[in-house]
Amino acid sequence: MRDPSSDEARIEQLLLELPEFKLLGLLHGASNYTFLARLGPHPPSGMRAVYKPGRGESPLWDFAAGTLYRREVAAYELSKVLGWPRIPPTVVRVKAPHGVGAMQLFIDADRRQFFGEHRGRSDTWLQVALFDVITNNADRKSGHCMFDAHDNVWVIDHGLTFHVEPKLRTVIWEFAGRPLPESLCGDVERTLADLERGTLRGTLEDLLRPAEVRVLKRRLRGVLEPKWRFPEPTSAWSIPWPPV
């Protein structure tokens, strides 16, 4: 679990409650309506955020309409308990120009991404890969892994997660066939316990369908099995398109 002394809770509160809300424009390359917004006037320059309204989601045959923004928030809440990977604070914002949606802190990133940086930071990429297995991420592109000015890696775009059927599609296959590192077992065990008896259970039950929460528990238990290994790609479909 991440350090409770962090300022995540403060940022979450600002994302939820700052009344001044200005849309700065659409973000290019997104398949759904995704806005860059400025929330203010605190701090004075305004807090920039990414706003994804539920009503702006493109219809999909395998994910229910109007649920992607909730999956974004569920992924963030799960990452907080696991302690990894680093996902920008993300909340469900009700009062917004285009209705309820996900509001996520904007990360001012440079041009680096997974491609070009995949030979280093093995521990970070392993955590991202495991998180994608646990959340059943159907869309882990290289560009979803970003670097800030302090050299931190942030991962974004978790709308296509938590499906009950196998959907894993990712560009991170370096760990295929490897067992779960012992160093991460405790994080997974703690998260499973929280999902079964702790506050995480109620949090995710408010965001996902009951069947999706049940299958998430099954995946958490599965990776703890002694014989479990990171999955292998099964076809060209296993890599999202475009991969960046």
Side-chain angles (χ1 to χ4, degrees):
M1 185 174 294
R2 282 199 279 271
D3 183 354
S5 66
S6 72
D7 61 356
E8 282 183 324
R10 181 184 65 85
I11 294 174
E12 289 173 22
Q13 203 66 27
L14 292 174
L15 291 171
L16 280 168
E17 296 182 353
L18 280 175
E20 187 175 313
F21 193 127
K22 182 177 181 180
L23 297 181
L24 302 178
L26 283 168
L27 292 176
H28 297 296
S31 55
N32 302 298
Y33 278 92
T34 303
F35 297 91
L36 179 63
R38 185 173 66 236
L39 305 176
H42 179 79
S45 59
M47 172 186 285
R48 287 189 295 173
V50 176
Y51 165 49
K52 297 183 178 182
R55 65 198 296 184
E57 296 174 5
S58 300
L60 298 171
W61 68 270
D62 51 351
F63 285 86
T67 69
L68 305 193
Y69 77 92
R70 291 178 173 270
R71 300 172 194 276
E72 294 264 13
V73 179
Y76 168 65
E77 292 291 342
L78 181 64
S79 78
K80 286 200 299 182
V81 178
L82 278 166
W84 42 263
R86 185 180 278 107
I87 297 176
T90 313
V91 302
V92 173
R93 172 100 181 196
V94 176
K95 294 182 179 180
H98 295 291
V100 62
M103 188 73 68
Q104 183 175 83
L105 179 69
F106 176 79
I107 300 299
D108 192 3
D110 57 33
R111 295 189 177 185
R112 290 177 293 168
Q113 52 182 261
F114 175 72
F115 291 151
E117 300 289 334
H118 66 283
R119 296 189 184 280
R121 307 172 184 269
S122 178
D123 290 346
T124 296
W125 302 134
L126 188 145
Q127 291 172 351
V128 175
L130 181 58
F131 186 77
D132 289 341
V133 170
I134 291 170
T135 59
N136 196 19
N137 192 353
D139 192 36
R140 173 62 72 205
K141 294 182 172 69
S142 176
H144 296 168
C145 305
M146 311 186 307
F147 292 75
D148 67 16
H150 302 289
D151 213 32
N152 295 313
V153 176
W154 297 85
V155 291
I156 60 169
D157 283 353
H158 296 97
L160 301 186
T161 49
F162 299 106
H163 203 286
V164 296
E165 299 175 3
K167 295 283 183 181
L168 182 63
R169 300 180 76 200
T170 176
V171 296
I172 306 177
W173 290 106
E174 279 79 353
F175 308 101
R178 297 191 192 181
L180 176 69
E182 187 174 343
S183 61
L184 297 182
C185 287
D187 295 338
V188 176
E189 289 171 346
R190 183 189 62 251
T191 301
L192 177 58
D194 200 339
L195 186 56
E196 291 179 331
R197 301 180 296 275
T199 57
L200 182 62
R201 175 180 176 178
T203 299
L204 294 190
E205 285 178 345
D206 286 341
L207 296 166
L208 304 172
R209 292 187 296 124
E212 292 167 339
V213 176
R214 287 197 301 271
V215 176
L216 171 60
K217 293 179 186 177
R218 193 180 307 161
R219 287 194 296 269
L220 286 164
R221 294 190 193 103
V223 302
L224 292 170
E225 291 292 328
K227 294 184 178 180
W228 182 84
R229 297 293 184 272
F230 275 91
E232 306 268 357
T234 57
S235 68
W237 187 90
S238 299
I239 298 175
W241 187 262
V244 177

